[in-house]
Amino acid sequence: MAPTLAVFKLASCDGCQLTLLDCEDELLALAGEVDITHFLEASSAVAPGPYDLSLVEGSVTTAEDAERIRAIRAASRHLVTIGACATAGGIQALRNFADVDEYRRVVYAHPEYVATLATSTPVSAHVDVDFELRGCPIDRRQLIEVITAFLAGRKPDVPDHSVCFE
Ligand code: SF4
């Protein structure tokens, strides 16, 4: 049976998932070797897991995000975070240095309906992460290297920093 690959999104702009979709040729080659069982950006198929490799884009900004990432971790043999949002909190982490309630009042007509945490935090602040792929967005060749390495059971050959210096 082919190993399963899942892709999840928390608070993010989808840019890193689009990098994965941009890897058309490589994905076609990979498609014969993996079973992509959860990737809402590209397919309506949503399998409950377990997953051999989960890629997670986005930061944790709501209580629901925190609950989801714990469930994703529990369902994943390997968990890799992709992009600055997932590895460092992203641009939305600017809230960490401000009054999030004031932002809510200024931006929303009915702030009482908006539930959010006071901070935006990386996935690693909530669960164990097997590898962090940095960048905003991530580099497509590095992404393919990370996926290929995990499926082959070896360490990814990717530098500690890539597009962004975090
Ligand atoms: Fe978008 Fe950058 Fe976050 Fe990726 S890291 S989801 S490109 S904001």
Side-chain angles (χ1 to χ4, degrees):
M1 206 164 72
T4 51
L5 172 69
V7 184
F8 296 95
K9 165 194 164 65
L10 301 173
S12 60
C13 81
D14 288 22
C16 291
Q17 289 184 87
L18 291 177
T19 300
L20 178 57
L21 287 174
D22 199 31
C23 302
E24 287 173 51
D25 294 343
E26 296 91 339
L27 278 177
L28 278 177
L30 269 177
E33 297 172 34
V34 296
D35 193 3
I36 302 177
T37 54
H38 189 293
F39 189 6
L40 282 175
E41 186 85 7
S43 157
S44 56
V46 181
Y51 313 107
D52 290 303
L53 174 61
S54 291
L55 304 177
V56 180
E57 174 197 83
S59 65
V60 175
T61 61
T62 66
E64 185 193 17
D65 288 342
E67 199 175 311
R68 277 188 68 216
I69 195 60
R70 286 193 291 272
I72 291 167
R73 174 71 270 185
S76 306
R77 184 161 163 242
H78 299 295
L79 190 154
V80 171
T81 47
I82 56 171
C85 295
T87 60
I91 192 75
Q92 55 273 31
L94 286 173
R95 71 167 69 182
N96 299 358
F97 310 99
D99 179 354
V100 75
D101 287 332
E102 186 187 345
Y103 280 0
R104 203 161 33 180
R105 280 195 302 275
V106 169
V107 173
Y108 298 101
H110 290 284
E112 67 273 22
Y113 296 129
V114 180
T116 186
L117 296 173
T119 56
S120 168
T121 45
V123 168
S124 62
H126 299 264
V127 296
D128 287 340
V129 170
D130 296 296
F131 191 83
E132 292 184 313
L133 181 60
R134 296 180 177 141
C136 180
I138 50 173
D139 179 88
R140 62 198 295 270
R141 283 163 303 181
Q142 291 184 351
L143 177 60
I144 293 300
E145 162 60 14
V146 167
I147 295 172
T148 306
F150 271 96
L151 294 176
R154 62 172 172 80
K155 190 173 179 291
D157 183 14
V158 172
D160 278 350
H161 54 75
S162 54
V163 180
C164 299
F165 291 83
E166 294 165 0

